[in-house]
């Protein structure tokens, strides 16, 4: 992967992180992780398909892009989900290489993407959608961690480092 990521309150990002001693662990393999997301969406009644190397689609339109990084037997697989994203805002905020649009025989980004919520035959709140996807992947018995004030302070400290002039421009 490696394309543009746009996230608003109607979109989600997810990551799978795994360490393996398997000799095959350093080979990029999107399928295992994307099938988990596809199955979760299909359990919700969306007819999701894995297409190409790293996309998940509904009715031929992209709802998820994925990227993967591997090093020393560790895998970080990251993806996005367009649930109820403001697609018009996404189009205004992103710039896509015109050659990519031409190569896919489409007229615009808007023509190529859709929201998952538009393909369900029932209403579901974004938080309920997220909970059901997580439960589908993890099962009912998984540990979660609610961020403490100390966690949040630590995150803000790290974020501040990445927002410094030295980091961004130096």
């Amino acid at each position: 992967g490696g394309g543009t990521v746009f996230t608003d309150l109607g979109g989600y990002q997810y990551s799978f992180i795994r360490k393996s001693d398997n000799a095959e662990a350093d080979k990029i393999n999107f399928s295992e992780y994307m099938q988990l997301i596809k199955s979760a969406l299909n359990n919700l009644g969306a007819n999701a398909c894995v297409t190409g190397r790293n996309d998940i689609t509904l009715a031929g339109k992209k709802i998820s892009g994925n990227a993967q990084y591997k090093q020393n037997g560790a895998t970080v697989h990251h993806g996005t989900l367009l649930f109820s994203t403001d697609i018009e805002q996404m189009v205004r905020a992103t710039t896509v290489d015109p050659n990519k649009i031409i190569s896919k025989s489409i007229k615009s980004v808007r023509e190529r993407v859709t929201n998952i919520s538009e393909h369900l035959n029932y209403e579901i709140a974004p938080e309920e959608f997220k909970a059901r996807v997580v439960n589908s992947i993890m099962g009912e018995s998984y540990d979660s961690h609610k961020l403490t004030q100390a966690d949040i302070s630590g995150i803000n400290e790290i974020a501040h480092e990445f927002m410094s002039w030295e980091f961004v421009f130096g």
Side-chain angles (χ1 to χ4, degrees):
T4 301
V5 174
F6 177 89
T7 301
D8 63 5
L9 295 176
Y12 291 98
Q13 295 182 31
Y14 58 87
S15 296
F16 295 97
I17 302 170
R18 180 183 285 169
K19 180 82 172 158
S20 175
D21 295 327
N22 183 338
E24 297 292 308
D26 285 331
K27 294 183 180 176
I28 297 288
N29 181 1
F30 288 86
S31 179
E32 174 183 4
Y33 304 99
M34 292 172 58
Q35 290 299 328
L36 291 170
I37 300 297
K38 174 189 167 193
S39 293
L41 294 173
N42 289 347
N43 288 342
L44 291 170
N47 188 20
C49 298
V50 172
T51 59
R53 184 177 112 138
N54 61 341
D55 291 343
I56 300 174
T57 60
L58 287 171
K61 293 185 175 186
K62 185 174 179 173
I63 51 104
S64 176
N66 292 261
Q68 198 171 102
Y69 175 77
K70 292 185 172 258
Q71 183 175 3
N72 301 325
T75 301
V76 177
H77 181 98
H78 178 77
T80 60
L81 289 172
L82 299 175
F83 175 71
S84 59
T85 292
D86 181 341
I87 293 185
E88 299 310 321
Q89 178 65 29
M90 180 182 76
V91 170
R92 287 191 299 274
T94 57
T95 304
V96 176
D97 181 349
N99 292 326
K100 188 170 187 176
I101 292 175
I102 291 166
S103 73
K104 298 198 180 290
S105 300
I106 57 174
K107 295 178 183 160
S108 69
V109 172
R110 178 64 181 108
E111 185 180 308
R112 185 169 182 245
V113 298
T114 190
N115 278 308
I116 296 163
S117 62
E118 296 173 22
H119 298 269
L120 300 174
N121 61 6
Y122 58 92
E123 297 277 328
I124 183 172
E127 284 298 315
E128 176 68 14
F129 166 79
K130 179 178 81 170
R132 289 177 64 185
V133 168
V134 170
N135 284 340
S136 179
I137 293 167
M138 301 297 294
E140 295 292 331
S141 60
Y142 63 91
D143 291 330
S144 64
H145 175 76
K146 185 164 176 72
L147 296 177
T148 65
Q149 191 56 46
D151 294 332
I152 293 168
S153 295
I155 291 167
N156 287 335
E157 189 175 310
I158 293 168
H160 183 72
E161 291 176 32
F162 287 103
M163 292 186 287
S164 69
W165 188 95
E166 292 80 17
F167 182 83
V168 175
F169 301 106

